Amino acid sequence: FTNIHKDWVRTLAFSSNGKYLATGSGDKVIALIEIPNFTRVHRLENYHTSSVLTVNFSADSRYLVSGGADKKVNLFSVYSQQLLMSFADIHQGSVNTVVFSPNGKYLASGSNDLSVNIIDIENQRVLKQIPDAVSYTHLRAHETGRNLVCRLLLEKK
């Protein structure tokens, strides 16, 4: 269980089903580690061209999303480790945080370009871009009836 990354780990997340740990590193690699035995490691390589800064699982543990210093947001199937969609042009800066809506229909991504994007997964398009004058370091998604609400934890400049 060594030599998974060649650079320091910048982000990690556990799947809600307890079967996986995902890590992202400055080496541009996402590692998908099967737990609790830690004997199987899937390396998701060549999907980011710079450091992987954030990873997160969907609530049902079927999908993994990543964001990086290359301004990309990537969505993967956990079971097949295949890339399902990629957005390379929705942010002007590093993607620092990504989160799924609880129902798994939407993604939110936050960037140091001072924006948050809400992505419709099924239709593979950005529904809304929210500009602001702060850097988003963390997002949490909550559903209230028909609305998706993102709580933003802000880093003051």
Side-chain angles (χ1 to χ4, degrees), residues 3-70:
N3 301 321
I4 293 173
H5 289 291
K6 295 181 173 111
D7 199 345
W8 57 284
V9 172
R10 296 173 185 254
T11 182
L12 49 86
F14 281 104
S15 63
S16 62
N17 66 7
K19 293 182 180 181
Y20 299 97
L21 171 67
T23 61
S25 172
D27 63 7
K28 310 174 216 172
V29 173
I30 301 162
L32 188 59
I33 303 160
E34 292 185 23
I35 51 178
N37 58 17
F38 299 99
T39 57
R40 186 129 190 213
V41 177
H42 306 280
R43 291 175 53 87
L44 305 176
E45 300 182 74
N46 303 315
Y47 296 107
H48 284 282
T49 58
S50 192
S51 297
V52 178
L53 302 177
T54 181
V55 293
N56 213 333
F57 286 94
S58 60
D60 61 8
S61 302
R62 293 177 51 208
Y63 302 104
L64 174 69
V65 64
S66 66
D70 57 4

Side-chain angles (χ1 to χ4, degrees), residues 101-103 106 141-150:
S101 65
N103 67 8
Y106 306 100
H142 306 279
E143 286 185 85
T144 57
R146 295 178 10 201
N147 300 317
L148 172 70
V149 177
C150 290

Side-chain angles (χ1 to χ4, degrees), residues 112-131:
N112 68 2
D113 69 1
L114 311 179
S115 72
V116 170
N117 284 305
I118 308 298
I119 301 166
D120 179 334
I121 295 172
E122 183 178 343
N123 295 307
Q124 298 188 15
R125 67 182 184 92
V126 176
L127 288 177
K128 179 80 174 170
Q129 184 175 61
I130 306 165

Side-chain angles (χ1 to χ4, degrees), residues 84-105:
L84 301 176
M85 73 174 79
S86 182
F87 290 92
D89 59 353
I90 62 172
H91 286 290
Q92 299 301 309
S94 298
V95 178
N96 300 323
T97 185
V98 290
V99 65
F100 284 90
S101 65
N103 67 8
K105 293 181 179 180

